[in-house]
Amino acid sequence: MAYLRQKRCHFFFYGFFILLISCNGSSSKTKTEVSPNQIKSLNQVIKDGEVIIYHKNGQPQSVGNFVKGIAHGPIIVYDSNGYELYRGMFKDGKPSGEWLFQDKKANKITRKIFP
């Protein structure tokens, strides 16, 4: 079961990472909040500042920071019940430093260090 939870965690990480690199360059905002219905339109905006993406039930899915469309700063990703799945830092669009992946069912935290 822990393996499936970790796969889901990686799915969220890669999903958010794909969202990060999908910018194409129009307007910018200091804070962007995105509902599940708006994810396609988010791809047409240069993300700048804090970006919050929500699950369909209204709970935050992820909170991340961008500078001119590139992930830079902290990110926290949650499941649909509001439980934190993982957190870490981006530097110039790449994972950096210590990342913590939490498994609530196994009551376990996995640490991964990125260069």
Side-chain angles (χ1 to χ4, degrees):
M1 187 59 139
Y3 176 74
L4 293 176
R5 183 107 170 130
Q6 187 176 16
K7 280 182 80 172
R8 184 187 315 162
C9 184
H10 287 139
F11 172 77
F12 284 120
F13 173 75
Y14 291 119
F16 187 78
F17 189 71
I18 288 170
L19 181 63
L20 296 178
I21 62 174
S22 65
C23 302
N24 71 358
S26 55
S27 66
S28 66
K29 291 186 177 184
T30 304
K31 184 173 183 179
T32 306
E33 296 191 12
V34 183
S35 71
N37 319 1
Q38 298 172 311
I39 290 195
K40 288 183 181 178
S41 65
L42 177 66
N43 294 335
Q44 300 168 11
V45 175
I46 290 183
K47 296 173 268 308
D48 200 11
E50 184 177 72
V51 176
I52 303 171
I53 299 175
Y54 292 93
H55 286 285
K56 289 182 181 180
N57 67 1
Q59 292 285 335
Q61 176 187 352
S62 60
V63 179
N65 290 277
F66 294 81
V67 176
K68 297 181 183 174
I70 297 173
H72 191 83
I75 178 177
I76 303 173
V77 177
Y78 303 94
D79 69 11
S80 59
N81 295 318
Y83 179 77
E84 183 178 312
L85 295 174
Y86 62 90
R87 68 173 49 223
M89 293 286 290
F90 276 99
K91 184 174 182 180
D92 298 322
K94 297 178 182 176
S96 174
E98 180 181 67
W99 284 61
L100 301 174
F101 298 86
Q102 299 185 35
D103 184 346
K104 182 179 178 181
K105 291 183 181 176
N107 198 22
K108 177 181 168 185
I109 296 176
T110 305
R111 301 169 91 188
K112 182 167 182 169
I113 305 295
F114 290 90

